[in-house]
Amino acid sequence: MRGAAWALCTAHVATALLAPPSPAPKLTQRKAVLTVGTPLNWPDALDRLAYVREHGIDQFIEMWRRSQTLTRDDDLLWGDEVEYAILRVTDKQAKISLRGPEIRDALATKEEAHSYRTEGCAWHPEYGRWMVEGTPSRPYGGYAADLCRVERNMRLRRRRLLSELAEDEICPTLVTFPGFGVGDFATGCADLAPNGPVARSESVPDAVIHPHPRFATLTKNIRARRGGENVRARPPRFVDTKTPRDAPTTIEGLDAMAYGMGACCVQVTFQARDSTEARYCYDQLAALAPVMLALTAASPCWRGVLAATDARWDIISASVDDRTPAEDGRGLSDSDDRLAGSGVRQLPRSRYSSISRYAFECDGPAGQVRRFCDVDAPIDEQAYNKLKAAGVDEALSRHVAHLFVRDPLVLFEGLIEEVDDTTATDHFDNLQSTNWNTVRLKPPTGLGIGGIDSNPAEREPGWRTEFRPMEVQLTDFENAAFSVFTVLVTRVILAFDLSLYVPLSRVDANMRRAQRMNAATSEKFYFRRQLAPNEVSEAQKFVNCCGGDDDDVFEEMTCLEIIDGKGDYFPGLAPLAYAYLDHIGCDGDTLARLSTYIELVRKKASGEAVTGASWIRKFITEHPEYQQDSIVSPKIARDLAVAAHDVGLGLRPAPELTGGQVIRPITRSGAWDTRLSADKIPTKEERRELLARYARRGPFRGAQG
């Protein structure tokens, strides 16, 4: 789910997911990985939820105090995460292949054998048994040239994943496979019957969930906390010319967590200098998130039906919504003091959502950033009071206390009271990691070990910001372009001291608009009209957050206006990125490559390059088998998956997606190094056959002249 400093930020969770269950785990320092024990079912966890919530706050305070006493000025280290789907293909149908854990283990073994390489990959489990996640094995650094590493590493990941597939398997970077949940759609496991004891889904078997017990427990406990109800996502149905008049207006049957958590995305995490910078970038990227969601939208069909939306966000939000009937207003619930808010406090949104509060503490006149926090964001009062008493500032106290209006969803026997709050942050991480927002503020791991005088390679990761809204693209060129552009925008914001603040109610409106069909070119988004301060000295860095005295600091703009500029008052993010690269003296070769990425983002915003959703929708509606009835048949879904796979490998040109960029073909060849072995050829027959084969060759014709 998600060494080197950046890699350590996810090492604990990833390794914990892979560790075998153990009835008597041994506790170690936070720098080492805690062995996972037996997860508790919801009835057994209820009496211990309050302990985890209380001690999660204690752990955050301990981490905060230690990080404040260390003088650190961390370099930029960052990385990306790309999720892949494994499918098995026949002439007539494609099915999800449940070999994800097997493939991931094989890849991890080979990566370890290739750890001498500077450029490598790391492979992590995902919720879906048909999925794997790939990241760079080492973080990208803070140099312009590092931005050119991204696509190379993504191509290496795709090549290596391809090398581990069976001949009838493919690995397209599709957000969701259109045939998921339709009939017999999975292969690779004996028990593929729906209505299993975990998800209780009428269409999805429990076997599609990753076999580690954490994932099944997460699924069961979300259902249990909801009062035993299944989750329900209902994307609107696209109505075509022959869609039956009596067809439901929504796509029905998305009744399992796998529909949402099985959606693939691309994410970027980067380390900030300190907490101030991380919190400021968190706020700015939250305002940018809807625009990037619209530009990367790539999920226009669900459960065999075309949707009237282009992006995944609301489907995932519904798929992990653990709120009781009283909390989300759909009914009444009994008060239970063991639950956060007794299970009856109104919670206006799912755990998977846009952010509810900005996290930066502005030094300007009272409430200048706070005034943009205009959405209902309940807090845990006890947590808030404890944080304030410990000296945590108002904005961060409210940010953390808002996370703790939720309950922890997965507890492990032996890892509750046994965890030492002075050396571990497991209980805080439990709540933090299951608040899935468009942006995540990630405090230091390991309680901030390592000050400014320590060896940077030995430091624990510092404050980080994780950017989470973007949908995975069909090609590595596109995924690299959006990842690099995101990092460039953060550098632009910091270098020019820009502010993207708009009221969070407008950010919520933007998120709704971003999911509509063709939002990248047809929708307008509330955006800050004046990004830069008029006169701000270096000593006054970050004061631009305040804006003017009135609320007239934003207006509606198209994606193209946001990216390219509007009038003489809004420069646009792409021109600012070029200005920044000029300012830092970026060399010509690097600039040429980065320009292709910036220009792709421009072309997506202008419509010169189509979004993944538009490409997929066009492929489906122009397929010979499509009946203009909104239905994506198994054969259409199969052909789409194969086409997407071929586009990703550079075997099928798609200039309309890449803005004309040609994707160099990717094959299995060269995925791994070939060892110059001195081992003897095993048998006389093998040696004789090999020698005879090459003795029969004609003369070798090398390079001429």
Side-chain angles (χ1 to χ4, degrees):
M1 304 166 105
R2 298 308 149 223
W6 174 79
L8 280 171
C9 68
T10 53
H12 173 68
V13 174
T15 310
L17 291 174
L18 298 174
S22 170
K26 180 181 179 181
L27 298 183
T28 63
Q29 291 289 323
R30 181 64 176 80
K31 187 173 182 179
V33 176
L34 297 174
T35 304
V36 172
T38 303
L40 299 179
N41 289 322
W42 194 245
D44 301 320
L46 280 170
D47 288 330
R48 304 164 94 170
L49 299 178
Y51 182 93
V52 173
R53 293 196 306 269
E54 178 185 351
H55 286 262
I57 294 297
D58 292 339
Q59 291 171 7
F60 177 83
I61 291 172
E62 180 70 19
M63 178 280 303
W64 170 258
R65 285 173 172 163
R66 293 199 188 189
S67 68
Q68 294 301 99
T69 62
L70 292 173
T71 302
R72 289 180 60 149
D73 188 10
D74 287 325
D75 294 329
L76 172 64
L77 294 174
W78 67 283
D80 69 85
E81 309 165 32
V82 177
E83 295 165 351
Y84 306 83
I86 312 300
L87 306 177
R88 178 161 286 162
V89 179
T90 65
D91 289 341
K92 296 183 178 180
Q93 187 178 6
K95 299 181 180 183
I96 62 169
S97 175
L98 304 183
R99 291 204 315 121
E102 174 189 337
I103 291 170
R104 194 222 71 88
D105 289 347
L107 287 165
T109 298
K110 290 188 176 180
E111 293 288 353
E112 186 174 358
H114 285 69
S115 59
Y116 58 85
R117 280 285 190 181
T118 300
E119 201 69 77
C121 315
W123 302 94
H124 311 289
E126 265 299 334
Y127 178 87
R129 195 171 182 167
W130 72 98
M131 303 167 69
V132 292
E133 178 187 275
T135 67
S137 60
R138 294 175 174 84
Y140 309 127
Y143 292 89
D146 282 279
L147 300 173
C148 296
R149 285 180 53 198
V150 181
E151 187 179 355
R152 290 200 302 268
N153 191 274
M154 289 180 177
R155 287 175 58 85
L156 179 63
R157 277 174 256 171
R158 196 180 294 261
R159 185 187 304 275
R160 288 185 171 176
L161 177 55
L162 186 67
S163 75
E164 294 303 314
L165 300 184
E167 289 298 325
D168 60 351
E169 288 178 326
I170 59 176
C171 56
T173 41
L174 283 167
V175 176
T176 183
F177 171 53
F180 188 90
V182 181
D184 179 20
F185 70 94
T187 183
C189 185
D191 185 6
L192 292 173
N195 289 302
V198 175
R200 299 288 184 190
S201 169
E202 295 180 0
S203 58
V204 175
D206 289 345
V208 307
I209 303 170
H210 190 284
H212 191 280
R214 177 189 183 95
F215 295 109
T217 304
L218 184 64
T219 306
K220 284 194 297 185
N221 287 357
I222 285 176
R223 287 183 59 254
R225 197 182 184 285
R226 287 174 58 86
E229 299 178 18
N230 272 31
V231 295
R232 296 279 177 186
R234 293 183 173 90
R237 179 187 297 261
F238 171 72
V239 178
D240 209 339
T241 55
K242 295 182 181 179
T243 302
R245 291 185 178 181
D246 59 352
T249 58
T250 57
I251 302 173
E252 299 298 314
L254 280 69
D255 62 349
M257 188 172 168
Y259 281 105
M261 295 307 266
C264 297
C265 65
V266 58
Q267 298 175 357
V268 180
T269 300
F270 55 92
Q271 179 174 264
R273 289 176 179 170
D274 50 33
S275 64
T276 300
E277 183 176 287
R279 290 164 64 182
Y280 193 74
C281 287
Y282 169 90
D283 289 2
Q284 309 314 306
L285 290 178
L288 181 64
V291 176
M292 299 303 285
L293 176 60
L295 292 171
T296 60
S299 47
C301 43
W302 299 87
R303 200 166 180 254
V305 181
L306 275 170
T309 53
D310 277 358
R312 78 198 188 286
W313 196 263
D314 283 350
I315 286 85
I316 309 182
S317 179
S319 78
V320 296
D321 192 350
D322 71 328
R323 289 176 294 173
T324 66
E327 287 173 337
D328 79 348
R330 68 182 187 274
L332 300 176
S333 307
D334 293 332
S335 179
D336 187 338
D337 289 340
R338 296 172 296 180
L339 299 177
S342 300
V344 295
R345 173 172 47 202
Q346 283 277 304
L347 298 177
R349 60 182 79 203
S350 166
R351 302 174 82 112
Y352 202 107
S353 67
S354 183
I355 72 166
S356 299
R357 291 201 65 84
Y358 288 124
F360 184 68
E361 183 76 359
C362 182
D363 292 331
Q368 288 290 346
V369 167
R370 223 168 301 157
R371 69 193 177 104
F372 294 124
C373 299
D374 63 341
V375 298
D376 186 12
I379 61 171
D380 184 283
E381 291 290 347
Q382 184 177 349
Y384 171 76
N385 291 333
K386 183 181 285 190
L387 289 159
K388 288 289 289 180
V392 181
D393 62 72
E394 174 76 11
L396 190 56
S397 291
R398 287 191 174 274
H399 168 80
V400 175
H402 176 64
L403 301 179
F404 278 70
V405 299
R406 314 287 178 176
D407 280 313
L409 292 172
V410 181
L411 306 183
F412 288 94
E413 187 65 56
L415 295 176
I416 303 172
E417 293 87 355
E418 296 83 354
V419 173
D420 185 349
D421 294 342
T422 65
T423 62
T425 57
D426 296 77
H427 297 329
F428 172 76
D429 294 339
N430 196 322
L431 272 298
Q432 158 93 335
S433 64
T434 53
N435 275 270
W436 297 282
N437 299 139
T438 49
V439 192
R440 180 176 285 154
L441 180 64
K442 305 178 83 165
T445 61
L447 300 171
I449 296 170
I452 195 169
D453 295 327
S454 64
N455 182 349
E458 297 175 354
R459 296 181 194 170
E460 295 281 4
W463 286 87
R464 289 144 295 144
T465 306
E466 182 181 44
F467 192 56
R468 302 170 46 80
M470 297 188 295
E471 306 214 319
V472 75
Q473 306 295 286
L474 295 186
T475 68
D476 298 316
F477 171 67
E478 294 168 280
N479 287 318
F482 284 111
S483 299
V484 167
F485 187 75
T486 299
V487 174
L488 281 176
V489 168
T490 67
R491 302 306 97 186
V492 164
I493 289 168
L494 297 172
F496 291 99
D497 192 20
L498 305 184
S499 169
L500 274 58
Y501 282 110
V502 296
L504 284 172
S505 60
R506 300 300 195 276
V507 175
D508 284 350
N510 287 346
M511 286 297 291
R512 293 189 291 271
R513 295 178 181 187
Q515 298 173 74
R516 295 173 184 166
M517 288 175 55
N518 305 314
T521 54
S522 64
E523 291 292 333
K524 289 190 174 184
F525 299 88
Y526 295 102
F527 212 74
R528 185 85 171 209
R529 56 183 290 133
Q530 183 176 339
L531 299 180
N534 292 325
E535 290 185 26
V536 178
S537 71
E538 187 59 30
Q540 293 176 296
K541 195 169 179 63
F542 299 131
V543 303
N544 186 39
C545 59
C546 300
D549 294 330
D550 55 52
D551 290 332
D552 187 26
V553 294
F554 57 89
E555 65 179 66
E556 292 181 289
M557 300 185 195
T558 64
C559 283
L560 182 59
E561 289 169 337
I562 292 168
I563 299 301
D564 232 13
K566 183 177 182 180
D568 59 0
Y569 60 93
F570 184 81
L573 298 179
L576 285 169
Y578 283 121
Y580 170 76
L581 292 170
D582 181 28
H583 163 69
I584 64 173
C586 181
D587 68 273
D589 289 343
T590 300
L591 179 61
R593 189 56 184 167
L594 299 185
S595 295
T596 65
Y597 298 148
I598 298 171
E599 289 307 302
L600 177 69
V601 176
R602 280 190 61 258
K603 290 177 180 179
K604 294 280 187 180
S606 70
E608 295 173 70
V610 301
T611 63
S614 295
W615 189 89
I616 291 168
R617 194 180 294 277
K618 186 174 187 287
F619 183 96
I620 291 171
T621 56
E622 293 183 354
H623 192 281
E625 194 168 298
Y626 181 65
Q627 301 297 311
Q628 291 79 48
D629 57 358
S630 315
I631 302 300
V632 183
S633 69
K635 181 64 164 63
I636 298 174
R638 179 260 181 213
D639 290 351
L640 171 65
V642 171
H645 177 69
D646 288 347
V647 168
L649 294 181
L651 304 179
R652 177 185 177 124
E656 66 275 27
L657 267 178
T658 63
Q661 183 74 20
V662 176
I663 305 301
R664 289 181 293 109
I666 299 173
T667 67
R668 298 167 182 251
S669 177
W672 309 100
D673 292 347
T674 302
R675 181 169 168 261
L676 295 173
S677 173
D679 296 340
K680 185 176 180 179
I681 298 172
T683 68
K684 205 179 286 186
E685 288 74 18
E686 287 181 71
R687 295 196 297 273
R688 185 181 299 118
E689 194 280 330
L690 191 60
L691 290 171
R693 187 191 316 162
Y694 282 87
R696 290 192 298 267
R697 284 172 57 100
F700 176 73
R701 301 186 186 280
Q704 301 299 311

